Structure formats: C-alpha cells, structure tokens
Amino acid sequence: QKEVEQNSGPLSVPEGAIASLNCTYSDRGSQSFFWYRQYSGKSPELIMFIYSNGDKEDGRFTAQLNKASQYVSLLIRDSQPSDSATYLCAVNIGYGGATNKLIFGTGTLLAVQP
Amino acid sequence: KAGVTQTPRYLIKTRGQQVTLSCSPISGHRSVSWYQQTPGQGLQFLFEYFSETQRNKGNFPGRFSGRQFSNSRSEMNVSTLELGDSALYLCASSPELEAGGYEQYFGPGTRLTVT
C-alpha cells in the first residue's frame, strides 16, 4: 500500500470553478501535511500546509484535514488557467520534530480550461 | 530573503563517474533535505541533515551520500553513477519550528543526466 495516494488525473475544470484535489495517507502518526504546486520543468512550490483537523484558508486556497479518516484535500476557488499544474500532496512522517521526512503522492494534474 | 539555491543546475555525466551537488539553504534554516524526482518513481526522500548531522535517510543505496557544513550548506554525492540515477535532484530547507511539522522550501533543482 502506498503511503500517500492521490488521483493522478487529469482533473479538468472550467475557469472560475472550484477545483477539488484529494489525498489519503496511511501513517496514522503523521503530524503535518503539505500541498505543493509544480509546473512542468520547475521545482515544487509550497502553497499550503496544515497541522490540525479542520479547514485552513489562504486566499483562493483552502486545505482540509481529517486525521480520523486520514484524508487531506485542497480546494482552489475561482480557478485560473495559471493554476494548471501538478499538485503534490506531502506528509511529514517525522514525529515530534525529530526529523523532516516528506512522503509525496504521485501528484494530480490539474487543467483549468479558459 | 533569498530562496534555496542549488548548483549546478544541469549536469551530464558518464556511467561510473561520481558527482557532487551543492545546496545553500534559506538564511537561518538549519534543516536541509534532499529528494530525487523521476517520472517513474516520483519524488523520493534521500536524506535530511540538521546541525551537520544526518537525521534521517531514505531507501537509497550507499552510493548516495551527503554532508552538511557549519553554515548549513549541504552537498550530496553520488558515486559510481548508473543510468538510473538520471533525475532531478531537489534540495529543500526548513526553518526551526516547534514540534508538529516543518514547512520545506525547495530549490530549483539539479538536472543530472547519466549517459
């Protein structure tokens, strides 16, 4: 079983719509969760992080975490063509600050249609 | 603040050679992690250094090694290169935070091609 799972997509949404990206993880002890955006040929860019159950909003982005269901999601409101990229979910399986070790999903390709 | 920098950006090597990649973290960041990204395997954790000590290591052969200097700059070395080592090598740095998690910020990466 993969430690972090994402639907590879592509997820196609029209401009202005809400894009919903999902991720599940297997390690119940995971403490922190991250969403990265990666454009083709570029390195991953951190766009959201969440540590506690519930929602966290930053501009057009909302991260949602449900530790009981081992589920993390990212909502992108008012999607723009410039949001078209691969979105990587990452989980830090280090405990209590003892280490940094991010386990990444394979990424979801998002395509926003003008 | 300046971001994470990596040198060189592109590298072509021959099988059997060795290579050293360099990473300078964001000023004030003491944790540096290295990742390998390939189309087939995705992003995989190589190792993490904190205060010049390797704190964690991924499932890579001993040909992959690294070190961190007192100024937090880090290098990784790959010896006896194989064709399968062709990849984008990414360095990420983290600030010092309370227990619970660390945000990692990636550099632009070094694209290594082994022929």
Side-chain angles (χ1 to χ4, degrees), chain B residues 30-32 49-54 68-70 72 96:
Chain B
R30 294 166 60 191
S31 169
V32 174
Y49 288 88
F50 181 81
S51 292
E52 301 180 64
T53 300
Q54 187 181 87
Q68 187 181 34
F69 302 95
S70 58
S72 294
E96 189 71 9

Side-chain angles (χ1 to χ4, degrees), chain B residues 18-40:
Chain B
Q18 73 165 10
V19 66
T20 298
L21 312 181
S22 181
C23 170
S24 291
I26 293 171
S27 178
H29 288 195
R30 294 166 60 191
S31 169
V32 174
S33 301
W34 289 89
Y35 295 83
Q36 181 197 63
Q37 187 173 31
T38 60

Side-chain angles (χ1 to χ4, degrees), chain B residues 5-6 12 15 18 21 23 33 41 46 51 65 68 83-85:
Chain B
T5 59
Q6 292 186 246
I12 300 175
R15 273 180 300 176
Q18 73 165 10
L21 312 181
C23 170
S33 301
Q41 298 298 319
L46 279 158
S51 292
S65 63
Q68 187 181 34
L83 294 179
D85 297 333

Side-chain angles (χ1 to χ4, degrees), chain A residues 27 29-32 91-102, chain B residues 56 100-101:
Chain A
D27 190 333
S30 300
Q31 300 285 338
S32 48
V91 176
N92 189 341
I93 67 170
Y95 298 98
T99 186
N100 275 324
K101 179 177 179 180
L102 288 182
Chain B
N56 205 348

Side-chain angles (χ1 to χ4, degrees), chain B residues 34-83:
Chain B
W34 289 89
Y35 295 83
Q36 181 197 63
Q37 187 173 31
T38 60
Q41 298 298 319
L43 260 163
Q44 293 186 288
F45 173 81
L46 279 158
F47 29 65
E48 184 221 0
Y49 288 88
F50 181 81
S51 292
E52 301 180 64
T53 300
Q54 187 181 87
R55 198 155 61 169
N56 205 348
K57 190 175 189 300
N59 297 323
F60 280 82
R63 300 184 297 105
F64 292 81
S65 63
R67 59 178 176 168
Q68 187 181 34
F69 302 95
S70 58
N71 61 359
S72 294
R73 191 178 68 85
S74 178
E75 290 181 346
M76 68 164 281
N77 183 276
V78 187
S79 62
T80 318
L81 284 165
E82 300 177 359
L83 294 179

Side-chain angles (χ1 to χ4, degrees), chain A residues 35-53:
Chain A
W35 284 99
Y36 287 85
R37 176 175 63 196
Q38 187 172 27
Y39 293 110
S40 180
K42 301 294 187 183
S43 63
E45 173 192 3
L46 179 66
I47 54 172
M48 288 291 288
F49 59 92
I50 186 167
Y51 302 155
S52 304
N53 276 328

